[in-house]
Amino acid sequence: MNDLDLLDRYGPDAAEVSDAALASARARLLAGMDPAVVPGRRSFPARRLAIAGLALAGAVTVAVVAIPRPAARPDAAPTTTPTTTATTTAPASPGTGTGSDAIRLVAATAPAFPYTISGLGDAVFTADPGGPVIAVYLAEDRSDVYLNSTTEDDGDALPGAGVIDVEIDGRPGRIVAFNGTADDGRPPLTLVWEHRDGVWLRLTGQGRYGTPGALIDLAGKVRDRPQRLHFEVTVGLVPDGWELAAFKDESILMYRDPVHPETDFHVQWTPRSKPLFRAAEIDGLEKATKVTVQGRPADLFRARDFWMVQTRLADRSIVRVITPRTFTTEQVLQLTASVRRSR
């Protein structure tokens, strides 16, 4: 592809890039950085990833301190250096929220994607903030496949493309050409169908999987077999009812309250070679306190709109936990103490 072709396809006047193309770009970038992400397959070179960098900048960046201002802020702030011990359940202290809004920490379940497509090997995963987790099955000939949960009314058909009504094991579905272009310049072909009663899935195929027959065949191979999502760290405690909402580069996790989706907390892992944050670098800092987490020194920052705890794990890598001010000090420290290295 020459420079003019590249400009026509990806320049300011180009057609809108599809969700499938963005998911593919993110997944290929991750696979190119870490060959172990897709065992048994060659890592993908950096070619044809210019658009991926642009997509990542706007699509999967999780702001480390993007915590909305809560309605209530407990005044609890440590006056001494507390030692934290993670427990299975940590009830909210009095004054933290009211009624059903009170925060209660419970044991977190291991993050997993609930489905597997038999015969396609291992998937890599991507998720935008607030969007579904997408399983991406990469192929070296770029016949990639994407699977995620959805709703019955998902998507708008490409004008003039039409919709094909189908049945998958006696359940309703439809095949749609969606707006935007795939990596090969053609509109992606997507199957939306009822996998189980009230459970709808979305399956997108490219290349040799981008035909109605191939999509129907793949849908018949979808199994209710969870795939573990692997991250640099695991979180042992989360607020009751909160769900994993987004992740980036396997090192930034965001959990969100589905009832109040504007409320979330973040966990960021960085290698031990990276420097610690200093108090002067915290926007809106009100107080910095030395604390102990998992028996090691840590920093607790109380900012105008959030709490942040910064600590080192046993391997000297760094973990930062950022929560809303609606958490109590004890809850912030207990959540941080529950973070463990997973590799």
Side-chain angles (χ1 to χ4, degrees):
M1 180 181 295
N2 60 36
D3 291 344
L4 291 179
D5 290 335
L6 187 65
L7 185 62
D8 288 340
R9 180 170 296 186
Y10 300 122
D13 297 324
E16 181 181 357
V17 180
S18 69
D19 292 340
L22 293 179
S24 175
R26 292 195 292 269
R28 287 179 179 277
L29 186 60
L30 289 175
M33 290 188 296
D34 185 0
V37 171
V38 188
R41 299 183 186 179
R42 288 192 291 112
S43 62
F44 291 89
R47 57 182 169 82
R48 293 184 287 183
L49 285 176
I51 190 66
L54 298 176
L56 282 166
V60 297
T61 298
V62 179
V64 173
V65 292
I67 303 295
R69 180 171 297 181
R73 290 161 48 181
D75 294 329
T79 55
T80 60
T81 303
T83 299
T84 66
T85 302
T87 57
T88 301
T89 303
S93 300
T96 304
T98 58
S100 60
D101 291 332
I103 296 171
R104 187 171 69 95
L105 297 182
V106 298
T109 57
F113 184 78
Y115 310 106
T116 297
I117 304 179
S118 299
L120 288 188
D122 297 311
V124 293
F125 301 92
T126 182
D128 292 341
V133 176
I134 303 173
V136 184
Y137 293 86
L138 298 171
E140 292 194 22
D141 66 354
R142 308 190 80 81
S143 296
D144 301 336
V145 174
Y146 321 92
L147 177 67
N148 62 271
S149 59
T150 187
T151 58
E152 181 178 358
D153 59 354
D154 177 32
D156 297 316
L158 191 66
V163 176
I164 304 174
D165 291 324
V166 297
E167 284 191 358
I168 309 296
D169 293 331
R171 298 185 182 278
R174 64 186 182 279
I175 295 176
V176 182
F178 281 89
N179 285 302
T181 60
D183 184 72
D184 58 5
R186 297 181 300 171
L189 201 60
T190 296
L191 168 63
V192 177
W193 85 103
E194 189 177 30
H195 175 64
R196 286 184 279 105
D197 288 343
V199 176
W200 290 77
L201 299 181
R202 172 175 172 164
L203 184 65
T204 300
Q206 294 186 170
R208 52 194 161 88
Y209 294 116
T211 66
L215 287 176
I216 292 173
D217 182 63
L218 285 177
K221 297 179 180 179
V222 174
R223 301 287 181 263
D224 293 326
R225 189 165 64 239
Q227 300 183 68
R228 179 75 177 271
L229 302 182
H230 294 283
F231 304 117
E232 295 287 351
V233 292
T234 59
V235 182
L237 293 174
V238 298
D240 192 11
W242 288 35
E243 302 171 346
L244 180 68
F247 52 88
K248 181 178 182 291
D249 298 341
E250 299 187 355
S251 59
I252 300 178
L253 311 179
M254 182 177 75
Y255 284 81
R256 174 176 289 170
D257 180 357
V259 179
H260 304 287
E262 72 282 358
T263 306
D264 50 52
F265 78 84
H266 298 74
V267 177
Q268 180 190 26
W269 175 89
T270 57
R272 61 184 178 182
S273 59
K274 299 296 183 180
L276 294 168
F277 273 149
R278 296 172 297 179
E281 298 173 308
I282 307 299
D283 184 40
L285 180 67
E286 294 179 348
K287 185 174 183 180
T289 308
K290 294 295 184 182
V291 295
T292 301
V293 175
Q294 297 180 13
R296 289 178 288 274
D299 296 300
L300 172 66
F301 300 106
R302 189 185 73 199
R304 180 182 60 251
D305 299 325
F306 59 90
W307 294 100
M308 185 173 86
V309 180
Q310 174 177 246
T311 186
R312 289 190 183 274
L313 300 180
D315 66 354
R316 302 296 295 164
S317 62
I318 302 168
V319 166
R320 299 183 183 98
V321 174
I322 306 97
T323 78
R325 281 288 300 274
T326 44
F327 283 53
T328 65
T329 306
E330 180 184 28
Q331 289 171 333
V332 176
L333 294 174
Q334 286 181 320
L335 194 158
T336 305
S338 79
V339 177
R340 294 289 188 275
R341 193 82 165 88
S342 57
R343 298 192 178 194

